[in-house]
Amino acid sequence: MTDSSLLFEKARQLIPGGVNSPVRACKSVDCEPLFISKGYGSRILSEEGQELIDYVMSWGPLLLGHCHPEVTRAAREAVEHGSSFGAPCRQEIDLAEAIVQALPAVEMVRMVNSGTEATMTALRLARSFTRKNKVLKCVGCYHGHVDSLLAEAGSGLATLCIPGTPGVPEDTVKHTLLAPYNDLQAVEALFENHGADIAAVIVEPVAGNMGLVPPQEGFLQGLREITRQHGALLIFDEVITGFRMSFAGAQGRFGIDPDLTCLGKIIGGGFPVGAFGGKKQIMEQLAPCGDTYQAGTLSGNPVAMAAGAATLQILSRMDYDQLEKRTQDFAAGLKSILEAKGVPVQLNCLGSAFTLFFTSQPVSDFESAKTSDQRLFQTFYTQMRRQNIYLAPSGFECTFTSFVHTDQDFQTTLDAAENIHF
Ligand SMILES: *Cc1c(COP(=O)(O)O)cnc(C)c1O
């Protein structure tokens, strides 16, 4: 047995399923997980010494790769001065300032510890600001494991085939409305019936949790107009897209002005972080300025703030267009190699993220994403992993590139794809 299987066996006795987040168990691809001992640049090293090119990048945060020297230095300097104070620190301002300067729709921001906390609180704030109850979300979008948002929530649940989850009372989801992604008519119909009580629409401006699904022309603009007409807030969940789709996020890229924005992943530079921000008038409703409660013992943690601020500072100098172009060429290369093997492939690619769906149908929402053949994906995944290419272990996830992936990394990956037998 390899080291990873031994560790997995032990972990399963101590931690449910041996993992602290379900998709890591690799169940849907019928593999055991690799235990990772190290990461450097675009590479990770497993406990048994297998070195792989990483396209998971911790599920998105590591746009600068593993152990970027400046990020590591910032975190080390911070931790040497104390790991947590539960009191304000300078690093919180550094990260907040970087976020407010980069994202056009964010005037003020509050730090939390995960993307889940960010979306959970953004909803509370939207409800308290509008004094309305209902929230509209899109099928296949994931906004963290917030109770009321776990209806039809994409990859993790889709992979495990759980329609929602036990443990959430019906009363909790009774204020959640669902529309297909990219379907403005469905959104309009819901507003016609419930408009007076809809506090917010929450959406991934580029969906990344049913595989990558870009917004169609006019979809985000339409959401902006409908919410404005009805006095509902528009919440962009930019936990994946923030600082990935452009340095100004998806909101900057598409020129949309959401009321609230949720962040996580990249803004923590690999440390546990989330944040939400938006218009000052709304944000000042939060305690201690306003009456809407939210708090966190470790929120604004100096180490995470320092790593995040260093990350954003480096990203501000990076050439996003070039990475996007290289990612597109790489993804198109993968697609044509797989197509030449006679399997149907759809490529959705935007920024430095893409998904190859094994279907002949264009993918624009969760229904069409689900036509992707998961057995073909499993074959692809296992044979790539054997050849030292580390992909997300689900066909409904993104493949993430980073600023440290080299052309040689991409070529090695294409060569591995050439060797696959379906
Ligand atoms: C990852 C993710 C979240 C949840 O973030 P956590 O830090 O895992 O709680 C929320 N929304 C989106 C779009 C995500 O991709």
Side-chain angles (χ1 to χ4, degrees), residues 159-381:
T159 307
L160 293 170
C161 294
I162 304 171
T165 173
V168 177
E170 263 172 49
D171 275 3
T172 308
V173 290
K174 79 175 180 203
H175 290 306
T176 307
L177 303 170
L178 294 167
Y181 195 74
N182 274 325
D183 188 344
L184 266 186
Q185 276 181 341
V187 174
E188 271 162 9
L190 287 167
F191 268 94
E192 259 161 48
N193 289 324
H194 306 279
D197 198 28
I198 298 179
V201 171
I202 184 166
V203 70
E204 291 181 74
V206 178
N209 286 288
M210 45 180 141
L212 189 91
V213 179
Q216 285 170 351
E217 186 77 42
F219 178 59
L220 299 175
Q221 192 61 50
L223 293 180
R224 181 62 283 184
E225 282 159 20
I226 297 167
T227 45
R228 224 168 239 153
Q229 277 161 21
H230 288 86
L233 300 190
L234 178 62
I235 305 174
F236 270 12
D237 180 351
E238 295 230 42
V239 172
I240 286 186
T241 56
F243 298 94
R244 183 171 288 276
M245 287 302 151
S246 80
F247 188 69
Q251 55 191 258
R253 180 172 181 135
F254 293 105
I256 309 286
D257 185 36
D259 301 293
L260 291 174
T261 300
C262 301
L263 297 163
K265 298 194 171 121
I266 290 174
I267 65 157
F271 286 82
V273 162
F276 60 99
K279 306 279 169 268
K280 198 169 172 182
Q281 189 198 2
I282 304 171
M283 292 300 289
E284 285 193 331
Q285 188 106 355
L286 281 173
C289 324
D291 60 2
T292 307
Y293 192 69
Q294 183 278 331
T297 303
L298 294 172
S299 293
N301 175 266
V303 184
M305 296 297 106
T311 297
L312 299 196
Q313 204 189 10
I314 299 160
L315 286 177
S316 71
R317 322 188 282 260
M318 300 308 265
D319 187 343
Y320 276 75
D321 290 342
Q322 191 205 31
L323 178 59
E324 173 152 7
K325 175 80 178 62
R326 291 175 60 230
T327 303
Q328 272 170 358
D329 291 347
F330 167 53
L334 269 177
K335 177 178 191 250
S336 59
I337 288 168
L338 297 176
E339 270 177 340
K341 295 177 185 295
V343 294
V345 187
Q346 293 291 323
L347 169 63
N348 283 357
C349 183
L350 204 68
S352 48
F354 65 91
T355 299
L356 294 161
F357 296 93
F358 291 93
T359 175
S360 44
Q361 207 178 309
V363 174
S364 60
D365 59 13
F366 195 37
E367 271 313 295
S368 43
K370 280 193 292 189
T371 64
S372 181
D373 185 331
Q374 293 311 295
R375 282 211 321 270
L376 291 176
F377 176 77
Q378 185 185 332
T379 304
F380 177 57
Y381 173 85

